[in-house]
């Protein structure tokens, strides 16, 4: 199969579901593996949800279960945003159980990386626990990772804490390992999705996109990341958009520090745009997006999902 080799690390999650659908339908991508991690909801549910999506879109991609929760901290899920199952609102017709690997995420990822004849892009749209474990268990994996494009962090305000974003704040220790790994990282933070809400007019177009449109709008009706009336915050699709259409984004390079010890600020991403911390930049940080272009791209991708 041609296309950029990709591994998706995910915790579906309604916005994850859209990002996964976009990736699976894109001729530009070769999705080699999907790994799951406890995040939005527990590991069993995020894995089941991944397998439901593969059956829905009739795609055969290897899935490997990863960490149940963060390296050190307790998992506090986001079921209030995505519903108890993580994809509340639509009755899926079974799961592609045959896609589930008997290997855990770290081993399946390592195997996939080492078997690839070219470095692989990791799209991380969940807490970074699996990626951190990979780097600790198989440090030589780094040379086969082209870059990590992550939905995570924020330049401004938070959605988990006052200043912290869910994926990073769920497992700050994992995020610190990843940001200090030396791997080429692109950070697509909360600020981006907030600049490019999916508006009611877009949702009407999506509703008309066949069975995928029916399924996604049923999920959107239960998604608490924004609303169908005021606009939806489609976080994970912004990371997929950066991979597929980077020209829609404004970026800068900066040192991103992960706060671990703060009693009030643990899990914050300190995006040092002015060099106050005197550290070498460790990430490309998205600072802006062509909001209308993203909305048009988003709808057209969903039309392609079939
Ligand atoms: O903060 C948004 C992120 O947390 C998204 O990845 C969403 O799916 C949740 O995991
Ligand atoms: Ca997610």
């Amino acid at each position: 199969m041609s296309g950029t080799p990709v591994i998706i690390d995910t915790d579906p999650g309604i916005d994850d579901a859209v990002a996964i659908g976009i990736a699976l339908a894109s001729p530009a991508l070769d999705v080699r593996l999907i790994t799951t991690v406890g995040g939005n909801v527990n590991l069993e549910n995020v894995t089941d949800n991944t397998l439901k999506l593969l059956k829905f879109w009739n795609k055969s991609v290897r899935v490997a279960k990863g960490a149940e929760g963060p390296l050190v901290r307790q998992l506090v899920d986001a079921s209030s945003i995505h519903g108890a199952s993580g994809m509340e609102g639509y009755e899926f017709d079974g799961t592609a159980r045959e896609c589930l690997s008997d290997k855990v995420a770290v081993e399946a990822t390592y195997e996939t990386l080492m078997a690839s004849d070219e470095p692989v892009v990791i799209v991380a749209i969940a807490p970074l626990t699996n990626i951190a474990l990979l780097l600790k268990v198989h440090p030589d994996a780094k040379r086969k990772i082209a870059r990590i494009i992550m939905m995570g962090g924020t330049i401004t305000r938070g959605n988990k804490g006052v200043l912290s974003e869910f994926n990073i704040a769920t497992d700050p220790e994992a995020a610190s390992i990843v940001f200090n790994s030396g791997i080429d990282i692109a950070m697509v933070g909360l600020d981006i999705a907030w600049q490019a809400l999916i508006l009611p007019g877009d949702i009407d177009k999506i509703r008309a996109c066949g069975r995928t449109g029916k399924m996604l709008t049923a999920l959107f009706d239960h998604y608490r990341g924004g609303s169908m009336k005021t606009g939806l915050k489609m976080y994970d699709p912004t990371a997929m958009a950066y991979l597929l259409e980077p020209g829609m984004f404004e970026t800068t390079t900066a040192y991103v520090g992960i706060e671990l010890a703060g009693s009030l600020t643990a899990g914050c991403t300190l995006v040092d745009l002015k060099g106050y911390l005197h550290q070498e930049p460790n990430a490309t940080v998205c600072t802006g997006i062509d909001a209308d272009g993203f909305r048009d791209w988003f709808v057209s991708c969903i039309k392609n999902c079939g």
Side-chain angles (χ1 to χ4, degrees), residues 10-12 15-16 40 125-126 167 236:
T10 185
D11 61 339
D15 59 326
D16 301 70
N40 281 321
I125 51 176
N167 287 338
D236 293 337

Side-chain angles (χ1 to χ4, degrees), residues 142-160:
K142 268 201 262 190
R143 63 187 172 80
K144 294 301 289 289
I145 299 173
R147 56 182 172 149
I148 296 172
I149 296 176
M150 70 170 69
M151 190 282 130
T154 176
I155 298 174
T156 56
R157 310 298 286 181
N159 68 342
K160 169 102 175 174

